[in-house]
């Protein structure tokens, strides 16, 4: 199963979502081996992973891979080699800086492509101008990829109604792109948990003694579990759909 967090617009939470999903309990319950794959030459996750290594944290069933080549063959071989050894691959697909080629390859490989998007006129029109043309081309070339592109509303107000957000996106999204009913709320804890290479669950253990932080981090852990469960279910459904055909 290959899942990708993709968004040509920068700073929408792709790397944060990818790493925390890889270490979520939902993923651990469902997959024996998990590859966290960064395709971004910026190396946000690589730096974070190196810090983990230095600190000696336990990575359990999660391995990390960095592919920055935009040469099609190198990219394909890299992805194939990783899929052969892992039940689940979670890709962090780069934003604006790296160009469309990378995004195109990565989207074409995904069984489930998750598009973290803010509810804002700017982000919505940037999506239509930049990422959607790529999705349209892929769906045209490979019709089975239809129904594999899902918007995850991000940085939502923690108390905002999901139904309202969902109906908004349902109205503005073009064909072949659906909106998830799950959201990724804005929380200050996401800006701090990853210092020194921690993941959210490890950070939760560190702040367990502090009531204020503990409550915040527990909510964030719950967000990640809900998102991970939703994506695992969607992955299963797209697998079942592919088998029927
Ligand atoms: N739910 C959240 N609430 C508040 N801040 C968040 C949340 N998720 C991530 N952030 C913060 O927003 C910033 C961007 O997040 P992140 O690096 O995950 O995005 P990205 O899409 O990978 O960015 P880039 O396009 O630069 O690779 C970071 O500073 C991160 O700590
Ligand atoms: Mg990133």
């Amino acid at each position: 199963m290959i899942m990708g967090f993709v968004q040509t617009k920068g700073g929408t939470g792709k790397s944060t979502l990818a790493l925390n999903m890889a270490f979520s309990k939902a993923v651990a319950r469902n997959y024996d081996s998990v590859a966290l794959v960064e395709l971004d030459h910026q190396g946000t996750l690589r730096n974070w992973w190196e810090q983990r290594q230095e600190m000696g944290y336990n990575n359990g069933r999660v391995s990390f891979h960095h592919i920055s080549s935009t040469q099609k063959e190198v990219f394909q071989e890299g992805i194939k080699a990783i899929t052969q050894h892992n039940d689940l691959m979670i890709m962090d697909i780069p934003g604006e800086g790296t160009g469309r080629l990378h995004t195109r390859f990565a989207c074409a490989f995904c069984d489930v492509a998750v598009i973290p998007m803010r509810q804002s006129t700017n982000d919505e029109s940037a999506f239509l101008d930049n990422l959607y043309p790529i999705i349209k081309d892929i769906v045209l070339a490979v019709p089975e990829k239809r129904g594999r592109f899902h918007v995850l509303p991000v940085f939502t107000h923690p108390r905002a109604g999901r139904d309202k957000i969902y109906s908004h996106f349902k109205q503005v999204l073009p064909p072949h792109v659906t909106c998830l009913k799950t959201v990724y709320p804005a929380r200050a804890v996401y800006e701090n948990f990853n210092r020194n290479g921690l993941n959210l669950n490890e950070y939760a253990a560190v702040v367990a003694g502090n009531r204020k932080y503990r409550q915040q981090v527990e909510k964030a852990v719950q967000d990640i579990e809900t998102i991970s469960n939703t994506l695992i279910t969607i992955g299963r459904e797209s697998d079942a759909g592919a088998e029927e055909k």
Side-chain angles (χ1 to χ4, degrees):
M1 172 66 52
I2 305 182
M3 296 198 185
F5 288 95
V6 59
Q7 174 59 285
T8 40
K9 182 109 179 58
T12 57
K14 299 179 290 290
S15 303
T16 308
L17 284 160
L19 80 88
N20 282 313
M21 181 176 176
F23 281 101
S24 69
K25 294 186 184 76
V27 161
R29 271 196 307 273
N30 286 280
Y31 298 97
D32 289 333
S33 48
V34 182
L36 176 61
V37 182
E38 179 174 56
L39 306 178
D40 197 340
H41 68 105
Q42 271 188 95
T44 313
L45 290 184
R46 185 169 53 189
N47 295 339
W48 168 82
W49 190 266
E50 280 169 6
Q51 277 184 312
R52 289 186 68 73
Q53 302 301 96
E54 278 166 27
M55 300 299 285
Y57 296 138
N58 180 6
N59 296 317
R61 62 194 72 203
V62 183
S63 60
F64 177 75
H65 312 260
H66 183 93
I67 307 176
S68 61
S69 174
T70 45
Q71 267 182 292
K72 196 173 180 184
E73 290 72 23
V74 178
F75 183 87
Q76 277 176 337
E77 288 310 310
I79 297 284
K80 270 190 203 149
I82 299 166
T83 29
Q84 272 165 13
H85 296 102
N86 290 280
D87 299 328
L88 174 68
M89 181 192 296
I90 300 178
M91 295 201 279
D92 179 11
I93 305 171
E96 287 163 339
T98 323
R100 293 180 173 210
L101 205 58
H102 226 153
T103 310
R104 199 177 285 274
F105 294 159
C107 279
F109 268 96
C110 284
D111 299 307
V112 176
V114 185
I115 306 160
M117 202 188 316
R118 284 192 197 85
Q119 184 179 339
S120 90
T121 319
N122 273 349
D123 287 29
E124 290 158 14
S125 58
F127 167 73
L128 291 175
D129 291 344
N130 300 319
L131 186 53
Y132 187 56
I134 296 175
I135 295 175
K136 228 166 40 181
D137 281 355
I138 293 173
V139 168
L140 211 65
V142 192
E144 300 88 78
K145 294 276 169 188
R146 217 174 281 163
R148 300 209 174 177
F149 297 91
H150 308 274
V151 163
L152 172 67
V154 299
F155 303 154
T156 56
H157 190 282
R159 285 190 295 278
R162 288 173 194 196
D163 291 345
K164 220 169 151 187
I165 296 169
Y166 175 76
S167 344
H168 166 81
F169 276 112
K170 213 169 162 223
Q171 270 185 344
V172 300
L173 290 175
H176 313 307
V177 183
T178 60
C179 181
L180 297 174
K181 286 189 174 153
T182 304
V183 298
Y184 178 52
R187 300 188 195 279
V189 60
Y190 288 110
E191 294 173 38
N192 302 311
F193 77 89
N194 56 350
R195 290 205 189 122
N196 306 320
L198 290 174
N199 64 39
L200 199 56
N201 289 323
E202 291 156 347
Y203 181 75
V206 171
V207 300
N210 180 316
R211 214 174 111 216
K212 190 178 132 209
Y213 285 141
R214 194 180 66 216
Q215 282 175 348
Q216 284 188 31
V217 77
E218 276 170 3
K219 285 183 187 153
V221 166
Q222 196 47 56
D223 299 336
I224 297 295
E225 293 303 327
T226 306
I227 293 168
S228 302
N229 275 314
T230 303
L231 299 183
I232 291 167
T233 306
I234 288 176
R236 295 249 158 85
E237 286 167 1
S238 76
D239 247 5
E243 269 166 30
E244 272 167 30
K245 279 173 194 158

